[in-house]
Amino acid sequence: MSNRLEGGTQPPSWVPDEVDVTVPNAARMYDYLLGGYHNFAVDREYAEQVEQALPGARQGAYANRAFVGRVVRWLAGVGIRQFLDIGSGIPTAGNVHEIAEQAAPGVRVMYVDIDPVAVAHTRAILANYPRCGVLQADLRHPADIINHPDVNRVLDFSEPVAVLLTTVLYYISDADNPFRIVGQLRDAVVAGSYIALTHGIHMAELAEGQESVRRLLQRSPTSLHLRTREQVERLLAGLDVVAPGIVPVADWHPELSGGESEPWPSLLAAVGRKP
Ligand SMILES: C[S@@+](CC[C@H](N)C(=O)[O-])C[C@H]1O[C@@H](n2cnc3c(N)ncnc32)[C@H](O)[C@@H]1O
């Protein structure tokens, strides 16, 4: 794999050697949609095509990110002091450790992402946060994450943990069985822990655009797997879903936001507590 840009131009110094800058990537497309700078031409092209096929996708990204802020504040408010953020993405303003630290000083946050660019940037911004860490790992192998020494240096699994799975489960195919994955994470944490997720769902009125996006992302390493509301419910099996339930992302405790959250009905949000 080469990270050379077309025309022989060298990529910026922050690009890890193993990154192929000619292949679109979910973390960097999301970064672009959120107005970040850690993305390449191919990511921007794909993200623009997503926005064209599904107008408003950018608002969806903002709505999702706003949910992350609200849910972290909410979880800190119910006493959570440890976060495991899987599929954490490329750091933008308002990262989990910053929000959590403001809400409850002394929190511990472990970030996990499959993308080396996301991991490199997270590592750089964590330099002054000794209670936080980052690991490059694959959500499809949850046991490798839970048992990893770096994760166990940051998190104490004998105490409650909030596992964040925001806009990551829809990159997991049915063959990789997202229900098994969430179940394994649920089984690994103690009672009083939480799992928070957002997940894109099929919507009849968006069917054409969603199908175009699915086809587009099939050409990237992170293809898209939208699900039904019932399947999202199933992902939360064995957990007590907290109020307001499984709702469109902007409707999840909107009062905790600094400003208005954009509606994006095809993205559901929910938080489950392990009894
Ligand atoms: C759309 S971003 C979401 C970032 C963040 N969770 C949020 O909600 O703002 C999805 C992230 O999931 C990561 N991802 C995709 N598949 C993954 C996998 N199998 N294991 C770990 N991370 C994955 C991507 O690299 C990307 O950073």
Side-chain angles (χ1 to χ4, degrees), residues 176-194:
D176 285 319
N177 197 344
F179 307 102
R180 168 195 61 87
I181 292 171
V182 180
Q184 272 182 261
L185 290 166
R186 180 201 59 216
D187 292 347
V189 294
V190 296
S193 295
Y194 290 84

Side-chain angles (χ1 to χ4, degrees), residues 216-230:
L216 183 72
L217 295 186
Q218 240 176 355
R219 287 181 260 140
S220 84
T222 36
S223 52
L224 189 66
H225 307 275
L226 298 177
R227 297 200 157 84
T228 63
R229 189 198 154 83
E230 290 66 36

Side-chain angles (χ1 to χ4, degrees), residues 69-93:
R70 296 199 301 280
V71 81
V72 168
R73 278 194 290 279
W74 186 91
L75 288 162
V78 296
I80 288 294
R81 296 295 176 265
Q82 308 192 90
F83 293 84
L84 175 57
D85 184 2
I86 309 181
S88 47
I90 294 174
T92 56

Side-chain angles (χ1 to χ4, degrees), residues 25-31 34 61 64-68 85-90 92 112-116 118 136-141 145 164-172 181 198 221-222:
N25 166 280
R28 301 192 304 259
M29 286 165 60
Y30 183 64
D31 175 66
L34 290 177
N64 178 67
R65 198 63 204 168
F67 167 77
V68 174
D85 184 2
I86 309 181
S88 47
I90 294 174
T92 56
V112 176
D113 203 285
I114 199 170
D115 175 52
Q136 185 175 345
D138 188 337
L139 172 59
R140 285 171 293 185
H141 308 292
I145 296 174
L164 307 182
L165 296 170
T166 53
T167 55
V168 63
L169 287 165
Y170 64 19
Y171 297 117
I172 306 291
I181 292 171
T198 54
T222 36

